[in-house]
Amino acid sequence: QVRLEELGGGLVLPGGSLRLSCVTSGITVASSTMAWFRQYPGKQRQLVASDTSSGTTYYDDSVKDRFTISRDYAKNTVYLQMNRMKLEDTAVYFCNRYPPSETWGQGTQVIVSS
């Protein structure tokens, strides 16, 4: 059974940093393409970043050079390091495989505000 738990959200000042964690079970992170998504109120989830098992990464233009996706194979955990954060990064963040499975976690709220 797939389980995804996103952690690490919170309130951050513009220009600040946060690191999100995605603790997984039922997924072998080492052999999966993993991704982070975000969702604005009333909108569909959108892909933010992805990382294949061979290390090929993708970043949406809006986060390129600011966000970094990584994984810890031993902990079966995926991370999203978010730097130089902007007001428009405010959203609920989710992780999943890519393409995403039907199972989603609760997400973690990120608020960028002064």
Side-chain angles (χ1 to χ4, degrees):
Q1 183 179 359
V2 174
R3 289 190 63 192
L4 303 159
E5 182 180 17
E6 298 90 354
L7 304 167
L11 175 64
V12 62
L13 293 170
S17 298
L18 275 179
R19 188 176 82 152
L20 306 183
S21 302
C22 173
V23 181
T24 76
S25 61
I27 295 176
T28 303
V29 166
S31 58
S32 302
T33 295
M34 298 300 298
W36 283 93
F37 303 79
R38 65 186 177 190
Q39 187 172 26
Y40 298 116
K43 304 291 186 181
Q44 292 189 337
R45 291 186 190 96
Q46 58 182 220
L47 178 66
V48 172
S50 65
D51 179 30
T52 69
S53 57
S54 61
T56 301
T57 55
Y58 161 83
Y59 296 97
D60 184 81
D61 284 345
S62 64
V63 306
K64 202 169 290 184
D65 298 324
R66 299 189 299 120
F67 289 12
T68 304
I69 186 172
S70 62
R71 59 179 84 192
D72 184 323
Y73 298 135
K75 295 181 179 179
N76 229 28
T77 298
V78 185
Y79 302 99
L80 186 67
Q81 177 67 44
M82 306 186 292
N83 298 327
R84 302 196 309 279
M85 295 184 72
K86 303 178 179 180
L87 297 177
E88 53 264 41
D89 295 325
T90 296
V92 180
Y93 285 74
F94 300 85
C95 70
N96 208 322
R97 287 182 287 204
Y98 190 81
S101 67
E102 291 185 354
T103 302
W104 292 88
Q106 299 273 0
T108 186
Q109 175 74 60
V110 171
I111 299 174
V112 184
S113 175
S114 55

